[in-house]
Amino acid sequence: MGALDGKTALVTGASRGIGRGIALRLARDGALVAVHYGGNQAAAEETVALIGKEGGRAFPIAAELGVPGDVETLYGRFDQALAERGERPGLDILVNNAGISVPADIHKVTPEIFDRLVAVNAKAPLFLIQQGLSRMPDGGRIVNVSSIVTRIAFPEGVGYAMTKGGIEALTLALAKELGPRGITVNAVTPGFVATEMNAHRRTSPEATAALEAYSMFNRLGEAADVADIVAFLASDDSRWITGQRIDASGGSRL
């Protein structure tokens, strides 16, 4: 018996990187995982195939976030996929992982950049939760992926940092509101992880070493490092934890 047997999970941005790691781990623990992706169908299908090779269950869900009707489209396809598979309707675990980062300091950020960051990183998670709650039974789990930039100054991505600060404020507010239903809401804050999102920072051995030096373990994080924490928060073992910001940065800049 896996810790998440009988549970259905939705992981946004699960085609690559941290999202893929989370989807793999939740499936490994027994959950049926909806692998959401925005545009890279091949990568999402690869995630589903990897889960299948391990004996897990998953299916892809396509929906671009940050555009009108995004949440309605996502949940419409989610509900339809469950019905077509003969699965019970509902959502037990929601992981808001999808996000974008645009390098721009206070002198370079534009209204267009900021609006896009807010639409994907803050607005979409808010309404994914809002519309997901009608599908979520009491005792459900919501995990929001934030970032270490809410603790460590990150002026080169000021708009991105603002959206992640908003995610943590949302986490705290909803933990209080949803507590009576036994639904826990927590945030996980990765540091620098060896994913495509950070590839532009690893342009040389020296640049990579500088990123590694942030962590007390002197290495970049791996997707599995974050996924294991999310899996704990998605399980019953975390039932007494809510409204928390869990640092998943390897002790960056302690």
Side-chain angles (χ1 to χ4, degrees):
M1 293 289 290
L4 301 179
D5 281 355
K7 304 292 186 181
T8 299
L10 166 62
V11 182
T12 65
S15 63
R16 294 172 292 174
I18 292 174
R20 173 180 284 184
I22 294 170
L24 286 165
R25 176 58 200 269
L26 297 185
R28 202 173 292 137
D29 286 354
L32 168 63
V33 181
V35 175
H36 163 263
Y37 68 98
N40 195 332
Q41 181 179 353
E45 290 178 348
E46 183 178 352
T47 300
V48 171
L50 288 170
I51 290 171
K53 287 180 181 178
E54 293 186 352
R57 300 185 302 146
F59 57 91
I61 293 289
E64 182 182 357
L65 297 180
V67 298
D70 52 357
V71 174
E72 292 80 6
T73 297
L74 192 156
Y75 277 126
R77 292 173 178 172
F78 173 80
D79 294 340
Q80 181 180 357
L82 289 178
E84 289 176 349
R85 294 175 60 92
E87 302 286 349
R88 63 171 178 81
L91 174 64
D92 302 288
I93 301 160
L94 171 61
V95 181
N96 282 309
N97 167 76
I100 59 172
S101 177
V102 180
D105 63 18
I106 191 62
H107 304 290
K108 295 179 181 178
V109 67
T110 65
E112 292 76 20
I113 289 173
F114 186 70
D115 287 348
R116 179 62 178 163
L117 286 166
V118 171
V120 176
N121 295 357
K123 183 179 179 181
L126 170 65
F127 290 101
L128 280 165
I129 294 171
Q130 182 194 67
Q131 296 190 33
L133 286 172
S134 63
R135 297 166 169 83
M136 185 171 287
D138 291 356
R141 297 285 185 267
I142 299 171
V143 182
N144 298 318
V145 178
S146 181
S147 170
I148 198 64
V149 301
T150 62
R151 178 171 67 80
I152 297 173
F154 191 63
E156 59 267 41
V158 62
Y160 175 77
M162 288 178 67
T163 62
K164 291 304 184 179
I167 281 291
E168 293 184 19
L170 174 66
T171 297
L172 186 61
L174 292 183
K176 183 172 184 178
E177 181 171 357
L178 300 178
R181 289 186 54 189
I183 295 174
T184 66
V185 189
N186 292 289
V188 174
T189 62
F192 289 110
V193 180
T195 63
E196 290 182 25
M197 180 176 282
N198 289 315
H200 68 284
R201 304 179 192 281
R202 306 195 307 273
T203 55
S204 68
E206 293 77 16
T208 299
L211 295 180
E212 292 172 340
Y214 273 78
S215 168
M216 295 301 100
F217 304 117
N218 199 38
R219 69 171 176 85
L220 291 175
E222 299 291 340
D225 295 325
V226 181
D228 289 349
I229 297 169
V230 173
F232 166 69
L233 293 173
S235 75
D236 188 58
D237 288 345
S238 67
R239 60 192 175 278
W240 206 234
I241 300 173
T242 195
Q244 300 305 300
R245 174 191 182 282
I246 309 299
D247 190 296
S249 72
S252 291
R253 291 284 176 88
L254 289 180

